[in-house]
Structures are given as structure tokens and as C-alpha cells.
Amino acid sequence: VLELFDVAGSALAGAERLICVEQNSTAQFAGLLRQETGIAVAQTVLKYDGRPFYPLEIANAVSKEGR
């Protein structure tokens, strides 16, 4: 798992804006990413009712936050 964060840290370091899409209520991966790499995401899109994300839900959440 730690190798994942080494690779992710270098891959994400130059990103302009990071958005983390997760299917839980606490943004666990975003927190773990910040803890292990020091990289914080700009926005989280969370869904925790057990249903899958639809592409339009993600697009709407991202465009709403980007305004």
C-alpha cells in the first residue's frame, strides 16, 4: 500500500485541482492520501447510500463546486 502512495504522490503533485470521488461518508481515501503524501484534495464527492455513482452526478457536483 505504501508504494501506491509513493506513486500517487508523484503523479498528483503537479495537478491543478484534485477531486476525490468516494462511496463513503467520511472521505477515508482523501484523508489517507493527505496523511501519507501531504497532498490535500480540493473537493470530495461522496455518496454513501450503497448505490453507484452516475456520471451526471459527478459532473453536476464538480461543476457546482467550480462556480
Side-chain angles (χ1 to χ4, degrees):
V1 173
L2 294 178
E3 289 179 24
L4 167 70
F5 290 109
D6 290 339
V7 172
S10 60
L12 300 174
E16 290 180 29
R17 182 172 174 212
L18 294 176
I19 300 168
C20 188
V21 179
E22 297 190 52
Q23 288 208 257
N24 65 67
S25 63
T26 59
Q28 293 170 324
F29 184 76
L32 189 59
L33 181 67
R34 184 178 57 249
Q35 175 183 321
E36 296 296 327
T37 65
I39 297 172
V41 299
Q43 178 185 357
T44 55
V45 179
L46 306 175
K47 187 170 185 177
Y48 42 90
D49 60 4
R51 296 180 298 158
F53 275 104
Y54 291 99
L56 189 57
E57 290 176 303
I58 298 169
N60 287 341
V62 170
S63 66
K64 186 187 313 182
E65 185 72 21
R67 290 184 198 167

